[in-house]
């Protein structure tokens, strides 16, 4: 966000996007493994389908919500400063959601054994 606001976005923005991409590349397979690993082999396909569905829906909602924030913050202005400001606003929203997700993931990590045991018991019934 700082690199965009200062007017020289290319090197810092590329490195930030690279770090974010590596984080997603490491995090998403681990998330899928945790969710599917807690299920019995009989229901692994169902769990995989649910994970992919939730990821697709959340991606579509994320684009819609952040796009809505972007265009409402833009407010009909059509100059470079307005686009810089609204892009930074969208990035602030993304960072806020990522931090919230990280905190929720930490809470999930502490109780993942209990959740996995409950999900396995529910699938057996």
């Amino acid at each position: 966000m700082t690199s965009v606001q200062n007017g020289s976005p290319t090197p810092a923005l590329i490195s930030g996007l690279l770090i974010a991409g590596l984080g997603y590349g490491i995090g998403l397979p681990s998330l899928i493994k945790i969710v599917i690993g807690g299920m019995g082999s009989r229901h692994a396909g169902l769990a995989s389908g649910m994970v992919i569905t939730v990821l697709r829906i959340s991606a579509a909602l994320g684009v819609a919500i952040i796009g809505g924030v972007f265009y409402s913050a833009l407010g009909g202005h059509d100059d470079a400063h307005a686009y810089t400001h609204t892009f930074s606003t969208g990035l602030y929203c993304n960072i806020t959601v990522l931090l919230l997700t990280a905190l929720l993931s930490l809470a999930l990590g502490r109780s993942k054994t209990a959740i996995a045991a409950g999900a396995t018991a529910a699938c057996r019934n």
Side-chain angles (χ1 to χ4, degrees):
M1 291 176 296
T2 305
S3 66
V4 171
Q5 291 172 346
N6 290 335
S8 60
T10 306
L13 188 61
I14 289 173
S15 62
L17 290 174
L18 180 65
I19 291 169
L22 288 172
Y24 285 127
I26 293 169
L28 278 177
S30 300
L31 170 70
I32 293 171
K33 181 181 176 184
I34 289 170
V35 171
I36 295 174
M39 303 298 291
S41 61
R42 181 175 162 200
H43 298 290
L46 174 68
S48 174
M50 292 298 293
V51 168
I52 297 302
T53 301
V54 168
L55 288 173
R56 299 285 180 180
I57 290 171
S58 62
L61 284 174
V63 168
I65 292 169
I66 298 301
V69 168
F70 179 85
Y71 283 108
S72 66
L74 189 59
H77 297 95
D78 197 23
D79 59 272
H81 178 66
Y83 280 102
T84 301
H85 173 71
T86 54
F87 185 72
S88 295
T89 302
L91 287 176
Y92 281 123
C93 291
N94 283 333
I95 289 172
T96 302
V97 170
L98 287 172
L99 289 174
L100 179 64
T101 303
L103 291 174
L104 291 173
S105 297
L106 291 174
L108 179 65
R110 291 187 189 129
S111 63
K112 75 175 183 180
T113 306
I115 292 171
T120 304
C123 287
R124 289 182 184 160
N125 294 332

